Amino acid sequence: MVYKFRVILDTEEDIFRDIAILEDDNLEDLHNAIVNAFGFDGMELASFYTCDQQWNQDEEIPLFDTGDNPGEMKTMADYPLTSILDKNQTKIIYVYDFLNMWTFLVELAAIEEVEAGETYPAMLFAHGEMPAEATEKSFESDDMRDDIYGEFEDDLDEDDLDMFEGDDHYEDYGFEENWN
């Protein structure tokens, strides 16, 4: 059987690739197909993340074993596609290059028969141009940030900040200048 995926870059613009890959292939093979389809050089770390139907991230499946004991952590090569994805579990998240955080929503769109003469993996369709840089991710909402910091900012005024000015008033705080 062939698994057909739509791999969507997490951006405002519509940028996606449709990829076909054999069901017996593993997540590392899917990683390589995504890298090729989006034109990356494949030199960066990457991970897949299992998720629920609302794309809430769960278990990490890394490209390489980064655990303390070699061989203890399972990697992409250890997971055949059929062990992670099927008709009921169709979604997985892919992150490439942890400095830039290229994030992709990967969805199993179809499971079909192998086409004679076709080589897999194959890019079936491409839509949209890759941006020069990854979309900046916000891991907290502005409301959350305001809730956390706002209460402190509201309580401080200029008089409160004056106590921190001056150079050598360490004795006022109960510790010596060269305390370490």
Side-chain angles (χ1 to χ4, degrees), residues 142-158:
D142 289 339
D143 294 337
M144 177 188 284
R145 189 176 57 245
D146 290 344
D147 289 346
I148 293 170
Y149 298 114
E151 67 182 81
F152 297 111
E153 289 173 5
D154 294 343
D155 294 342
L156 290 176
D157 59 23
E158 288 300 318

Side-chain angles (χ1 to χ4, degrees), residues 75-126:
T75 65
M76 291 180 195
D78 298 318
Y79 288 92
L81 294 176
T82 55
S83 71
I84 298 290
L85 299 159
D86 58 31
K87 291 178 184 175
N88 298 320
Q89 178 54 42
T90 60
K91 298 177 180 183
I92 195 165
I93 299 169
Y94 174 72
V95 177
Y96 177 81
D97 184 356
F98 292 106
L99 293 176
N100 292 303
M101 296 296 290
W102 293 98
T103 304
F104 299 86
L105 308 175
V106 181
E107 187 163 15
L108 178 61
I111 301 173
E112 298 178 355
E113 295 293 328
V114 174
E115 292 182 33
E118 188 68 38
T119 56
Y120 299 99
M123 183 167 62
L124 304 174
F125 185 76

Side-chain angles (χ1 to χ4, degrees), residues 7-152:
V7 183
I8 305 166
L9 180 61
D10 187 18
T11 61
E12 294 281 327
E13 302 82 31
D14 289 337
I15 302 169
F16 63 88
R17 307 290 184 262
D18 291 345
I19 297 172
I21 189 168
L22 296 172
E23 71 176 338
D24 295 334
D25 286 337
N26 59 39
L27 286 177
E28 186 174 358
D29 297 321
L30 182 58
H31 151 78
N32 291 328
I34 293 170
V35 164
N36 290 330
F38 284 91
F40 293 119
D41 62 12
M43 301 302 292
E44 302 297 333
L45 292 176
S47 286
F48 282 100
Y49 295 88
T50 58
C51 63
D52 61 19
Q53 292 302 314
Q54 287 73 41
W55 299 103
N56 294 310
Q57 183 176 311
D58 193 20
E59 176 192 349
E60 179 181 13
I61 304 169
L63 179 58
F64 300 110
D65 182 349
T66 57
D68 293 335
N69 300 319
E72 184 176 70
M73 179 181 280
K74 292 178 81 174
T75 65
M76 291 180 195
D78 298 318
Y79 288 92
L81 294 176
T82 55
S83 71
I84 298 290
L85 299 159
D86 58 31
K87 291 178 184 175
N88 298 320
Q89 178 54 42
T90 60
K91 298 177 180 183
I92 195 165
I93 299 169
Y94 174 72
V95 177
Y96 177 81
D97 184 356
F98 292 106
L99 293 176
N100 292 303
M101 296 296 290
W102 293 98
T103 304
F104 299 86
L105 308 175
V106 181
E107 187 163 15
L108 178 61
I111 301 173
E112 298 178 355
E113 295 293 328
V114 174
E115 292 182 33
E118 188 68 38
T119 56
Y120 299 99
M123 183 167 62
L124 304 174
F125 185 76
H127 178 80
E129 297 289 324
M130 285 293 292
E133 296 180 0
T135 303
E136 191 171 317
K137 302 289 183 258
S138 173
F139 295 103
E140 61 182 47
S141 70
D142 289 339
D143 294 337
M144 177 188 284
R145 189 176 57 245
D146 290 344
D147 289 346
I148 293 170
Y149 298 114
E151 67 182 81
F152 297 111

